[in-house]
Amino acid sequence: MRRKVTKAIFPVAGLGTRFLPATKSVPKEIMTLVDRPLVQYAIDEARAAGIKEFIFVTSRGKGALEDYFDHSPVLEQELRRKGKDDLLEILKSTDMESGAIAYIRQHKALGLGHAVWCARRLIANEPFAVILPDDVIAAEKPCLQQMVEAYEETGGNMVAAMEVPPEKTSSYGVLDVKEDMGQVVAANGMVEKPKMEEAPSNLAVIGRYILAPSVLKNLNKMKHGAGGEIQLTDAIAEDIAKDVPVYGYRFRGQRFDCGSKAGFLQATVAFALARDELRDDLMSYINEIVQVGKAAQ
């Protein structure tokens, strides 16, 4: 019987330079889509997949991120006094119980593989998930939950995957497909940020992973890959030679790259339009802008 995936690593040590000056004092992960921080979407997805232990790999200047998950007795008391029970329930959903969350510092920006390696002592010898909060996925069934259900059948290592335009492959880890089974593909290998003409496919790895502990042993070697960084993709691919299978999972849902300004804005509009109380006003505004643009032409 396969061990359940109950631990997840959240690499959140990045400086968020693409969002300066906002990220000078505000961690990118608590910037909000509508009224919820990016990291809350990631936490909710992890909880839906059965994750019980949450490991954040952080860096200097991320104190606000840690405070976000703490209890706020004064605010809770004020909401209770004013009878704002609906807001009180929303607030409680952001709390993390003592012992459920841990913070590890990544002192040097050496890549995603290094960030995951930093949490190795909290993983021990069990499978674990990795979630990149920058990748927000809107789905009826949360992406990681889809993957956990598929992983129960396959075992090995599993990465979320989606087709991207060939000219975009140089921005992703890309799967070398051995067998395409529809929702799930078996991989011969993985290549980090290949040139378009060298990419083995256009099936790109997105920021959700379920990994065997052997990946951490591969990361112990501290091999530098693309961009001079320690790449998680390389450590996963190394498992294939050790007869630990690697699968790509074509998730059902829409992915937004909230590490980019354009992706963040697109996600904001999409998530706002999904809210009943916001949809009509926002659509009226969008239609108004469209009409003004047409008139200007």
Side-chain angles (χ1 to χ4, degrees), residues 142-167:
C143 178
L144 189 63
Q145 184 180 352
Q146 297 176 41
M147 293 176 64
V148 165
E149 292 173 1
Y151 169 80
E152 289 172 355
E153 299 294 327
T154 65
N157 293 299
M158 180 171 286
V159 299
M162 62 179 279
E163 274 84 9
V164 300
E167 64 272 15

Side-chain angles (χ1 to χ4, degrees), residues 164-171 196:
V164 300
E167 64 272 15
K168 298 286 188 180
T169 54
S170 59
S171 299
M196 180 177 69

Side-chain angles (χ1 to χ4, degrees), residues 183-201:
Q183 202 84 54
V184 175
V185 302
N188 272 322
M190 300 170 67
V191 183
E192 183 65 27
K193 296 181 173 63
K195 296 178 181 178
M196 180 177 69
E197 61 273 16
E198 297 175 358
S201 74

Side-chain angles (χ1 to χ4, degrees), residues 173-232:
V174 177
L175 291 171
D176 180 1
V177 177
K178 175 182 179 181
E179 182 181 4
D180 193 330
M181 298 167 280
Q183 202 84 54
V184 175
V185 302
N188 272 322
M190 300 170 67
V191 183
E192 183 65 27
K193 296 181 173 63
K195 296 178 181 178
M196 180 177 69
E197 61 273 16
E198 297 175 358
S201 74
N202 70 328
L203 195 58
V205 178
I206 305 303
R208 302 291 186 274
Y209 308 78
I210 298 176
L211 302 177
S214 53
V215 171
L216 295 174
K217 295 179 181 178
N218 298 338
L219 288 170
N220 275 332
K221 301 171 185 176
M222 291 291 154
K223 292 182 179 179
H224 292 262
E229 296 182 334
I230 298 168
Q231 298 291 350
L232 182 59

